[in-house]
Every structure is written in structure tokens, then in C-alpha cells.
Amino acid sequence: MTETELPEAQSRAIAQAVREALARRRISRQALADEARISISTLEKALSGRRPFTLATTIRLEEALGQRLREAAERAAPTLAAPRHAPEELGSYSRESAAWLEGRYLTLRPSFGAAGALFAYRTEIAWDAEAARLVFREAERLDAPFAQTGHVSVPNQSGTIYLVTNWQGQYRIAMLGRPTIQGEMYGVLTTLHAGRGSQLTPAASPIALIPERSAPSVAYGRITPDLPDYAACRRQLGRVCEDSYALFFTCPS
């Protein structure tokens, strides 16, 4: 089976067709996942839009449901021309005005699980013509199930760039200053940190996005102080505070 990811518009249409099939047949998502021989996590993420359907997953679902999901997606394809500007709530930007943000970035933040270590992964920003907005996708994360996807907000007043994930009302936001002349973006990440058991705690950390063309040659994953990449990555991440791209206020004593 190929792992080719389907286009976002087609993936959304397939998700709708699967939800309708579940409701019509009165079967659970777990039962469908078992019948299709896929994990419930894969099905949930694809249905919620956190991850696109792959061709392999779609074929297995078609076999389990006994219907052609891709045909439903083709029928649902829009006939009107796609809008040229992002929605007002994202800044009403056009692709031309925000094209400089598109590309692949080495992303750095402190490791949440190892004191003193850094966490490196890739963030890809691209234009979604169907939805008329920039979208982002994280990859090469050690904790792959927690990789984020979402949309990009570029308001024209503050100059701040927002990478926003909204999963069932649960938000995760990276707030970044406008790129430097080299294209780097620095700012603060607000997210939830997994604690003991199922406990989730609000957390914030510095974050840096460095264009891959000018980024240090780094192996993605956890970067500890004993590795040769650590010093260069630590300098990049240190710019968040040293150059006042973000402010961190401590709790009152």
C-alpha cells in the first residue's frame, strides 16, 4: 500500500463521506477502524482534519464500507473559483502578499522531557488554494502522534505571525515576529504539556523557525549538550530572549 497523502480538499470530502456512512449504518469509529485494519488514532486524526487521508487508508476504508469514497470526494469538489484572499479572521492576505512565508523550516524549542536539551523538527508552510490560506504541517518529530497541523494568521497591524492549531476547540499557538532578512522567525509557543497520567498543563516556551536553506545541518530529534549541533541551535533559540522577540514574566514569589 502506498502512503501517498491525498489533497486537503479531497481528504475533507472523504472525511464527510465517512462520517455520513457511520451515521447511516450506526456503527462506531472503533468498529470501522477494526474492520479496515487501521488504528483508531489514524481514523480520528483524519476525520478531525489533523492529518490528511492517505491513499492506503482510503482504500482500506472503501473495502470496509463497501463504497467508493473517492468518487464521493470528486462529486463534492467545488465548481466555483477558489477565493483569492484568506478569511478576515486570518488577516485577509493574498498568496502573493504572503508568499515569502512559504517553505520548510528547522524548528527549535526546549525539550519538555529532558532538562537542558533542545527539540528539533521540521515545519512546512504552504498555500492551500482550496481554502485560500497558508497552512502549516509539522514533520520529523520524535513524538510523531503529537505533530501539529493548522492554519497561518498574518494580521497587517501587529506584524505578528500566528501558527494556530484548533483541534476540537483545543488551541495550540505559535506567535512569531516577522522574519529577519535571512528569513528566521522567533517567538513564543503556547501549548499543553502532558504530565502524569492524562493531566495536561498549560505551558509556554521560546520557539525559533529557521529556513532550511540557511539552517545548521541538524539531525532532527532531541539535541543534548554533548552533541556538536547543540551550540549552534542553542544560539538560535537564545535570540528569542536576547533580541526581545518575546518576553517571559515569572510567577510572583
Side-chain angles (χ1 to χ4, degrees), residues 29-209:
R29 293 184 177 187
Q30 182 65 66
L32 176 58
D34 292 342
E35 180 67 22
R37 304 185 309 282
I38 61 176
S39 70
I40 184 62
S41 174
T42 296
L43 180 59
E44 291 282 4
K45 288 176 181 176
L47 289 177
S48 67
R50 295 180 64 195
R51 181 174 298 173
F53 280 92
T54 65
L55 181 58
T57 296
T58 302
I59 291 173
R60 289 177 177 177
L61 289 171
E62 288 177 338
E63 292 172 347
L65 292 169
Q67 69 180 76
R68 288 275 297 172
L69 297 172
R70 285 166 289 172
E71 287 182 1
E74 290 166 2
R75 289 195 301 269
T79 57
L80 298 177
R84 291 180 51 82
H85 293 82
E88 184 177 359
E89 62 266 24
L90 298 182
S92 300
Y93 57 87
S94 65
R95 180 176 189 179
E96 292 78 9
S97 67
W100 42 272
L101 276 171
E102 293 188 68
R104 291 184 169 192
Y105 297 83
L106 165 66
T107 305
L108 302 169
R109 66 161 171 79
S111 170
F112 293 165
L118 305 179
F119 197 53
Y121 53 95
R122 186 173 73 234
T123 299
E124 302 172 1
I125 298 177
W127 179 259
D128 180 349
E130 189 67 36
R133 67 193 63 183
L134 288 171
V135 295
F136 76 92
R137 173 179 176 269
E138 294 177 351
E140 303 294 342
R141 285 185 55 153
L142 283 177
D143 53 350
F146 296 98
Q148 305 286 314
T149 61
H151 56 259
V152 182
S153 177
V154 189
N156 57 22
Q157 293 185 349
S158 67
T160 303
I161 296 161
Y162 300 82
L163 307 187
V164 183
T165 298
N166 177 4
W167 182 63
Q168 298 182 347
Q170 184 171 286
Y171 282 80
R172 183 258 207 186
I173 303 175
M175 293 178 281
L176 306 164
R178 283 194 174 271
T180 67
I181 193 171
Q182 298 297 326
E184 301 103 331
M185 293 186 286
Y186 303 94
V188 59
L189 172 68
T190 60
T191 186
L192 292 173
H193 175 51
R196 295 180 178 178
S198 60
Q199 182 179 357
L200 297 174
T201 304
S205 78
I207 187 171
L209 273 68

Side-chain angles (χ1 to χ4, degrees), residues 211-230:
E212 281 194 343
R213 64 180 182 276
S214 59
S217 179
V218 173
Y220 293 111
R222 185 174 288 109
I223 304 175
T224 54
D226 59 304
L227 296 178
D229 299 330
Y230 182 82

